[in-house]
Amino acid sequence: MSLADDRGAVVDLLHRYAHAVDDADAAGVVGCFTSDGRFGTRDGGVAVQGRDALLAFFGEVFAGPMALPEVVTTHLMGNAVVTFAAGGAEATTVLDAVVHRWSASSGTVMVRGLRYRDRVVRSDAEGWLLAAREHDLRWQGEMPVTAPGLVIRD
């Protein structure tokens, strides 16, 4: 594979993760990690390692605070910088996450500025995978919206 092919494959991995989160697909999220992959927040509030633990963590998140259809997210990935070194690559991605929450009569839209810091590795069997992901909340804002203005499309 050329460097451009590897970079494209890493960026595809980053986007697959975002799609799986937006689909509340815990198995899809976990499939982006190595068997001993780590996910954590910069503030140390979350630290999870290994596919079984990741599956339990994301399963709980998607069934609880991020449960569909009351919560829908859209992760807008951008500004991915990928640096290759022996044994893998480092990737830093800046993104906006839009979180829609509502009930029968009202709702909110939260916009969050995030930065992901990743260590990625390539395996012969599974291609590029996340060995470690740090989720860094940089800022967020929230505003109310009325339920009639919210529409979900499949």
Side-chain angles (χ1 to χ4, degrees), residues 34-68:
T34 61
S35 61
D36 62 346
R38 292 187 323 253
F39 174 84
T41 54
R42 184 167 187 210
D43 66 7
V46 173
V48 183
Q49 184 168 4
R51 284 186 173 158
D52 290 341
L54 288 162
L55 186 60
F57 172 76
F58 284 104
E60 288 176 24
V61 168
F62 297 148
M66 300 284 290
L68 296 173

Side-chain angles (χ1 to χ4, degrees), residues 8-20:
V10 169
V11 171
D12 284 350
L13 167 67
L14 305 176
H15 291 178
R16 278 195 316 273
Y17 174 94
H19 283 256

